[in-house]
Amino acid sequence: MKKLALVLGGGGARGALQVGALRAIAEAGLKPSLLAGASIGALNATYWALHGLDRSAVDQMEVVWRASGSADLLPANYLWLSVRTLFNRPDSQIPHRMRDFLIAHGITPELTFAQIPGVQLLLVTADLNHGQPVLYGLDPHQSVLEGVLTSAALPPWVKPLEKDDKYLLDGGFISNLPIEAALEHGAEQIIALDLSDPREAPPDARGFGAFLSKTILTVEARQAHLERSLAAARGVPVLYVNLLGDTHVPLWDFKTAPALIEQGEAQMRTALADWLPTQRPWWQKLFTSPGNA
């Protein structure tokens, strides 16, 4: 049996789409041996790994995501928050919202990667001092909470972590869909769930916010292309699914979670219907007639 890795990309509130996708994956009987996540994908990967990689764990995740709608984890006034950050007057309460929310839902300060049962969990963060990705999870004694918070440290909402000689922030800045991390740790087949949405900044959008969104989308698309190309060069098949809501959802709009969960499940079921038959052993394919395929 090939080592299956599940790669979960970043995308803020659009992470609810991944919850629905995980429901479809669990019901298909797929159980990855490696999870790699960046940003909100790190949170989803951690929660699923912590609770058992099955349908009941997804049900618990859905409860958490529904609660996120009233937690105001990423306030919508990000431009004002950015200005405050530039003038060294950040809102000190916002980072605590995310931390407190994670602790309330079981990702406690005492939890280490050694306590994650039955699956290898890798959380990607970006080190700005050295221009390199940093992986949490290689050291079993590392704090899971620190790994999640650092992988999702997206300014102006959550400030980067300065530790040792590193300056760590959101993993999406260096590998928003961390296929490379999965490859480097033995993945032989990969399911990659991307949350990038080109509707974030339509071609006719203008202004600084649109410029920033277009820049980030361009970097993310290039990263994903290169990492998928790396997998192809190594002969590792990737089921790539770009999960999209029916309408564009901003990073901070967690109130859309219930609808996105259902939409993500439907899209993943469609993707798996095409992919799973290709995973059957050769001898099953040989004795399956075209009418029963």
Side-chain angles (χ1 to χ4, degrees):
M1 187 70 177
K2 290 184 176 180
K3 183 175 181 178
L4 174 64
L6 178 63
V7 172
L8 302 179
R14 295 193 292 272
L17 289 159
Q18 291 176 345
V19 179
L22 291 178
R23 182 192 292 164
I25 288 170
E27 292 186 353
L30 296 171
K31 202 162 188 177
S33 53
L34 188 156
L35 297 179
S39 197
I40 199 66
L43 191 153
N44 282 337
T46 299
Y47 199 89
W48 203 39
L50 185 60
H51 291 85
L53 302 182
D54 57 18
R55 171 59 193 269
S56 65
V58 178
D59 291 342
Q60 294 178 63
M61 288 178 69
E62 183 170 349
V63 172
V64 173
W65 268 90
R66 289 178 181 275
S68 71
S70 59
D72 199 20
L73 297 175
L74 303 180
N77 59 334
Y78 69 97
L79 290 176
W80 171 240
L81 293 172
S82 299
V83 171
R84 290 192 58 165
T85 300
L86 287 172
F87 285 95
N88 201 28
R89 294 290 187 274
D91 188 332
S92 61
Q93 296 302 313
I94 293 173
H96 294 296
R97 293 181 194 176
M98 181 68 75
R99 178 185 173 86
D100 293 346
F101 185 83
L102 293 174
I103 292 173
H105 292 283
I107 304 176
T108 62
E110 299 78 20
L111 182 67
T112 67
F113 284 88
Q115 296 169 275
I116 300 293
V119 64
Q120 184 176 15
L121 176 64
L122 299 175
L123 310 180
V124 180
T125 186
D127 176 12
L128 292 193
N129 282 347
H130 300 91
Q132 295 290 333
V134 172
L135 298 183
Y136 277 79
L138 299 179
D139 179 353
H141 303 295
Q142 282 180 310
S143 163
V144 175
L145 179 62
E146 182 181 299
V148 174
L149 287 172
T150 305
S151 185
L154 181 62
W157 293 291
V158 182
K159 70 177 183 177
L161 172 67
E162 296 184 64
K163 185 174 183 179
D164 301 327
D165 62 340
K166 298 180 178 65
Y167 191 66
L168 304 171
L169 81 165
D170 194 293
F173 284 98
I174 202 162
S175 182
N176 195 54
L177 190 66
I179 292 172
E180 183 180 12
L183 290 171
E184 294 299 326
H185 292 85
E188 296 174 303
Q189 56 182 353
I190 296 171
I191 299 174
L193 304 183
D194 196 353
L195 298 175
S196 296
D197 189 343
R199 296 170 297 183
E200 186 87 33
D204 58 349
R206 297 292 183 268
F208 178 74
F211 166 78
L212 185 60
S213 293
K214 289 178 182 181
T215 300
I216 293 173
L217 283 169
T218 299
V219 172
E220 289 178 352
R222 184 60 177 163
Q223 288 171 349
H225 171 74
L226 291 174
E227 296 196 35
R228 290 171 68 189
S229 297
L230 179 62
R234 295 188 182 182
V236 176
V238 177
L239 173 61
Y240 170 80
V241 186
N242 191 184
L243 298 169
L244 292 170
D246 290 345
T247 58
H248 171 251
V249 174
L251 295 175
W252 55 84
D253 189 5
F254 284 80
K255 292 182 173 62
T256 60
L260 291 182
I261 290 170
E262 299 307 316
Q263 292 161 26
E265 180 180 3
Q267 290 171 47
M268 195 68 224
R269 288 189 187 281
T270 299
L272 289 174
D274 294 331
W275 182 74
L276 283 173
T278 69
Q279 307 305 302
R280 290 178 301 181
W282 67 268
W283 53 268
Q284 282 190 5
K285 297 176 187 178
L286 187 65
F287 293 104
T288 301
S289 67
N292 294 326

